[in-house]
Structures are given as C-alpha cells and as structure tokens.
Amino acid sequence: MNITLQTQTPPTGDLIIPVVQTDLTSQLTDLSQKLTLPLPTLQRDFKADAKEVVTVYKADGFKTYLLGVGPNPKAMDWLRTFRKFFFDQKGKLSAQVTIDLSQVEGDVVESVVLGVRWGGYDLKLYQTDKPDTPVFFSDAGQLSLLVSPRTEAVAQEAFIRAEAIAQTQRQMLDLMNAPANYKQPQTLADWAMNSGKQHGYSVTVLDKTELERQKLGALLSVSQGSDVPPVLIITDYKPADATNVLTVGLVGKGVTFDTGGVSIKTSSNMHLMKSDMGGAAAVLGTVEIAAKLKLPIHVVGIVPATENAIDGRSTKPGDVITSYLGKTIEIIDTDAEGRVILADGLGYMVRHYSPDILIDLATLTGSVIAALGYHAAGLFTANDALANKLTEAANQTGEHLWRLPIWDAYTEDIKSDVADVKNFSGKPVAGAISAAKFLEVFTENHPAWAHLDIAGMAFTDTEFGSQKNATGFGIRLLTSYLQALIAESR
Ligand code: BES
Ligand code: MN
Ligand code: ZN
C-alpha cells in the first residue's frame, strides 16, 4: 500500500473522518449536513469514544467511516485508534482510502501513519494457510492523507519520519515475535549488517573467538550453556558532518531466549522468554532510523546477544566470573543474566566510545513489572536533567517512563563476600533497583547514564493477539529523545 499527502479529496474510494470528542455537537451538525444524515440519529449512534466506528454506506458503493478518537487525544491515542481501525476493517476497505485530517488540530500525521501501517501487521508469521493480503494492504492499495494546504509542509516532514519509523519498527516486531528456533544471536547480527549496508552506517560483529580474545568474560559466561555462539554487535552511525556533534551510546539486552540457566525458570510462560531481546530491538531500530533520517548526531548501538540455556557446561550458581572491565562477578542466580551481559556491553561502550550520553534498555526484571505493571518502564538515573529529557520524550510518544531511585543505600544488595559484586541480592525486594545498581558498577561513573527496565513494556497483551506480543517499545521514544537533543544543541 502506498501513502501520499493530498490537499484535495480524491473523487472515489472510502473516506475516514476522525472525530475528537470535544465540541461534539458542532462537529456532528457539520457532518450531518455534509453526509445528509439526520442529526438526532447521528447523535444517538456516535459518541466519538476512542475507536468507536460508524459506517455510512453511500450510493456509489463506497463508505464513509466516522472514527472516534476520544477526548483530548495524544500521540498514542491517535496511533492506537488507527491501528485498531485498520486491523479490524482491513478486509472491508476498498483499494483507495482517504483519511480526512484537514480539520484536525495539531500534528497527528506521524501517529496516524504509524497506526495504519501497524494495522496491517499480523502475527501469523508462520501460518501456512494465510488468507490473501486484503486489497487495501496489497500493492494496489492507495491511502490519501487529506491535509490542509496550511500545514502541508509540516505534515510532509512528519510523514517521511513516520514511514521510516514504521518500516523499521515492523522488522523489530518480527524479530521480537520470532521464536528462538528462528532467531539466534547471529540473526540479530545479520540483520544489523544488512541494515548498515543499506543505510550507510558501520556494523562490527565480534564473534565468539573474538569475544574470547578480547575477554568479554561476562557475556561468554552466560552463553556457555548454549549450542549457539554469542556475539557482540556494534553499530555506529555518524552523520556526514560529524564535527561538534554529541555521541549517544545505546546498549540493549539481546537474550534471544532465557531459560534461566541452571536457576531454571518454571515452565508456565517460559515461552514468552523468546522476547528477552526487547532492549536490543529498541537499540538496533533506533540506530537504523537515525541513519535513515540522517540525524546530525553520532549514535553508537551495542548489543550483547546470547541465549541463556541449560547444559552441563552452563555457568553454575556460586561461580565467579571476570567481566570485560576486569571486575569480578559472583553469580548467585543464573536467571539474572541480563545484567551480566550488559556489564560487558556497557563496559565495551565506555572503554571504546566514551559517549556523552549513555542509555541502556533491557527486559531486565520481573520486579519492575511488580512495581509498575504494564503501563510504564522503570527509569533509573542519578542525572536529573537526563531523567527530565527522557521523561519528556516518553510523554510525547506515550511510551511512559517512571523514575525509581538508585540511592547508594541499595549498594548493600550487590556486595559479594568473594567477588567485586554479586548478580542478585537473594532477597525478594527492590529487584529492579538492585539490578540497576549492578549495572552502574560497569558504567565507570558515567555522569549521564540512564537505565530503562522495559520488562513490562516490550511484549504485552494487546487487542491484536490472544497471547502477549511485541510492542516495539522504545524506538519512538529514543528517536524523539535524539531529536530533542539535536534541537537543544543547535
Ligand atoms: N528476562 C527476565 C526478566 C523478565 C521477566 C522479562 C518477565 C520480561 C518478563 C530476567 O532475565 C530475569 O529472569 N530476571 C529475574 C531476576 C532474578 C532471578 C534476580 C527476575 O526478575 O525474576
Ligand atoms: Mn533471566
Ligand atoms: Zn532475561
């Protein structure tokens, strides 16, 4: 399906008119005249609640849909409403569809485009008797976004950004939803290599031999129990003019399957642990988008990728390992593997790239889900300015962050008798915080480091499947953060 911006309504096709709940009477009055519908009927049938749909059949065979967006819709509300509409209606739409955004206040083009593209996404990756692609989402499909000539220039920019994000995010959804027999550490590396070639940024993959040579002992220890080798993926996007630009270092947890290792998980819901690479998806996706949009900022993305499997060779509880930075770690629980591989990811980043800003993302703890549920990711940083900027970006995209403390009082939890640090406190309290304190040890006191625990946000229940599935959490958030950073440093 092809999308274009228009300033005039195309002569044929289905028409979608989004309706915000505020000032409803006057809008419905206009619509009743425009569509020659009796106002009282319209008022009775349509309250413009979010995702509410009224279908008006026309004599020419096409349809007009009124689509409720609810009161005071924000970016995420527009996105969700359109995703749901297109997901539900995709089989019933004609090849030509127009969305009338000419009366809408504010810049919603990006959210609407993302919503439409996501509406066409389905989870049936491996089904063999898939129904044919609906005509609207096929090559023959054509979507016109009707905007007012006044806002066309702004809309055009938002549209290009949205198409770039949507296309990248879709691939990340596929990677996240892929099971472990279709997705190994090398699969992530291959994706990055292809992307780097296509979009002009450099990608280096350290294979197992190289990890051994360079002594990434923490990553290697987690991978020990698996038949598939680990990798460290380094993606590096530099703008053409790289003088005086900030360097942002992003590190993402890339566990392609987490059995827990010897501290094995219970079997209920273990299958969901194919999604334990949500941090990696956010990082890889953001670097690709930065390159596509040619953002004037230097972004380095590092992904330690491995399985956490169980075998005779697996790391055992009590083992002491040596990380890339030389610090020793006592492994109390092999299921606390994310922080262990991030120790090397962060260590490698600070040693080789000295980024101005350092952010890691990880599906790190069940504890953050106990604290915040499925409505916000945990944000950990000692840097107030960074916290504020990330929170602002998050509020803009609707991928909420909530700050939790990382006071030094919590350091007690990770003190080991035998090693520099231990990977689990052994106590059922403040698990997300002690995990953050553990990571902090490997940032070499970076003054602008933030950790995002996205365990509850990367893979969740949605209206689009019966089981949890990928959300793409973090990609839009980080992209919007980078753009704010650029705007500020101008
Ligand atoms: N990948 C899990 C965290 C997780 C849990 C992500 C649920 C998404 C949904 C992580 O590796 C893990 O197992 N964490 C343990 C740590 C504990 C053993 C200290 C946890 O949170 O239970
Ligand atoms: Mn684990
Ligand atoms: Zn994990």
Side-chain angles (χ1 to χ4, degrees):
M1 179 256 302
N2 180 47
I3 308 182
T4 55
L5 289 190
Q6 310 275 325
T7 49
Q8 263 165 5
T9 317
T12 62
D14 294 332
L15 175 67
I16 300 161
I17 305 177
V19 183
V20 176
Q21 211 166 36
T22 30
D23 205 8
L24 193 56
T25 313
S26 78
Q27 287 187 79
L28 291 187
T29 310
D30 288 353
L31 284 169
S32 76
Q33 279 159 15
K34 194 169 159 191
L35 304 171
T36 54
L37 294 170
L39 181 61
T41 316
L42 196 53
Q43 281 179 316
R44 208 163 46 226
D45 277 14
F46 186 67
K47 307 291 181 217
D49 288 332
K51 301 173 189 172
E52 186 183 355
V53 180
V54 160
T55 312
V56 182
Y57 293 87
K58 300 193 296 176
D60 62 6
F62 291 110
K63 288 170 282 191
T64 299
Y65 295 95
L66 303 184
L67 175 58
V69 203
N72 305 313
K74 302 206 173 56
M76 194 58 113
D77 303 308
W78 284 94
L79 195 161
R80 288 205 179 113
T81 293
F82 276 87
R83 182 178 183 186
K84 176 81 171 122
F85 177 87
F86 279 87
F87 184 80
D88 288 347
Q89 306 288 338
K90 55 178 173 263
K92 299 178 186 167
L93 295 169
S94 67
Q96 164 69 47
V97 175
T98 301
I99 302 175
D100 184 355
L101 298 176
S102 62
Q103 309 299 316
V104 174
E105 301 271 332
D107 186 8
V108 301
V109 166
E110 181 173 332
S111 307
V112 169
V113 169
L114 284 168
V116 176
R117 290 284 181 207
W118 279 26
Y121 184 78
D122 74 50
L123 291 164
K124 305 178 180 122
L125 288 172
Y126 310 100
Q127 289 184 0
T128 54
D129 60 348
K130 275 210 270 197
D132 293 341
T133 308
V135 61
F136 172 70
F137 278 110
S138 75
D139 289 345
Q142 170 63 43
L143 175 66
S144 305
L145 296 178
L146 191 63
V147 296
S148 85
R150 200 164 39 82
T151 60
E152 201 186 354
V154 182
Q156 187 63 35
E157 216 175 287
F159 169 63
I160 290 166
R161 194 170 53 228
E163 286 282 64
I165 295 175
Q167 195 226 15
T168 301
Q169 199 152 34
R170 184 192 182 98
Q171 297 177 61
M172 290 306 132
L173 296 184
D174 280 350
L175 277 175
M176 281 291 281
N177 289 324
N181 63 330
Y182 280 83
K183 165 184 71 191
Q184 300 177 344
Q186 188 59 40
T187 316
L188 303 186
D190 291 344
W191 183 89
M193 297 282 265
N194 281 331
S195 167
K197 253 183 237 145
Q198 205 179 331
H199 301 290
Y201 62 94
S202 92
V203 178
T204 311
V205 177
L206 308 190
D207 64 10
K208 191 170 173 211
T209 321
E210 195 54 28
L211 296 174
E212 282 164 351
R213 200 184 64 78
Q214 297 196 38
K215 300 201 172 65
L216 279 80
L219 174 56
L220 285 163
S221 90
V222 171
S223 77
Q224 247 166 249
S226 174
D227 278 342
V228 297
V231 290
L232 188 82
I233 306 167
I234 305 160
T235 60
D236 188 347
Y237 161 70
K238 260 202 197 90
D241 179 8
T243 47
N244 282 324
V245 298
L246 289 171
T247 299
V248 177
L250 303 174
V251 181
K253 171 179 175 182
V255 172
T256 52
F257 195 83
D258 182 10
T259 66
V262 173
S263 316
I264 196 164
K265 289 180 181 296
T266 51
S267 59
S268 65
N269 291 331
M270 198 204 273
H271 64 287
L272 300 176
M273 284 300 121
K274 67 182 183 183
S275 68
D276 207 12
M277 29 77 60
V283 168
L284 295 175
T286 303
V287 175
E288 181 178 89
I289 290 167
K292 276 184 184 173
L293 300 179
K294 300 194 164 50
L295 298 183
I297 193 160
H298 180 201
V299 190
V300 181
I302 291 189
V303 169
T306 179
E307 274 184 356
N308 185 24
I310 177 153
D311 179 79
R313 285 182 302 263
S314 291
T315 294
K316 296 166 193 71
D319 284 3
V320 175
I321 59 161
T322 304
S323 66
Y324 179 67
L325 292 181
K327 290 194 160 68
T328 54
I329 304 168
E330 182 186 11
I331 304 295
I332 302 293
D333 192 313
T334 62
D335 197 13
E337 86 296 343
R339 66 199 74 180
V340 176
I341 67 168
L342 287 173
D344 278 357
L346 288 164
Y348 205 89
M349 180 68 88
V350 292
R351 277 288 158 88
H352 292 265
Y353 295 93
S354 318
D356 298 299
I357 292 143
L358 174 62
I359 303 171
D360 76 78
L361 297 95
T363 48
L364 204 63
T365 67
S367 163
V368 83
I369 308 178
L372 300 173
Y374 298 98
H375 297 291
L379 164 62
F380 302 83
T381 178
N383 184 319
D384 292 342
L386 181 56
N388 291 340
K389 260 181 230 137
L390 282 168
T391 307
E392 217 169 279
N395 290 343
Q396 237 173 50
T397 66
E399 296 158 291
H400 294 299
L401 297 178
W402 196 257
R403 195 173 177 187
L404 294 166
I406 50 163
W407 300 314
D408 277 331
Y410 292 98
T411 310
E412 278 308 310
D413 285 348
I414 54 161
K415 276 199 179 132
S416 165
D417 290 340
V418 298
D420 295 333
V421 65
K422 65 182 178 189
N423 81 330
F424 176 43
S425 68
K427 289 178 266 181
V429 298
I433 302 176
S434 53
K437 288 310 277 184
F438 178 94
L439 296 179
E440 190 180 37
V441 173
F442 300 90
T443 63
E444 303 211 302
N445 300 314
H446 196 288
W449 162 67
H451 157 60
L452 275 50
D453 191 338
I454 62 172
M457 303 305 288
F459 206 72
T460 64
D461 289 311
T462 68
E463 349 171 56
F464 309 104
S466 66
Q467 293 196 52
K468 290 195 197 303
N469 56 85
T471 62
F473 187 93
I475 297 182
R476 287 188 307 124
L477 162 61
L478 289 174
T479 305
S480 137
Y481 168 74
L482 292 179
Q483 282 175 318
L485 208 57
I486 292 162
E488 179 197 70
S489 63
R490 277 221 171 104

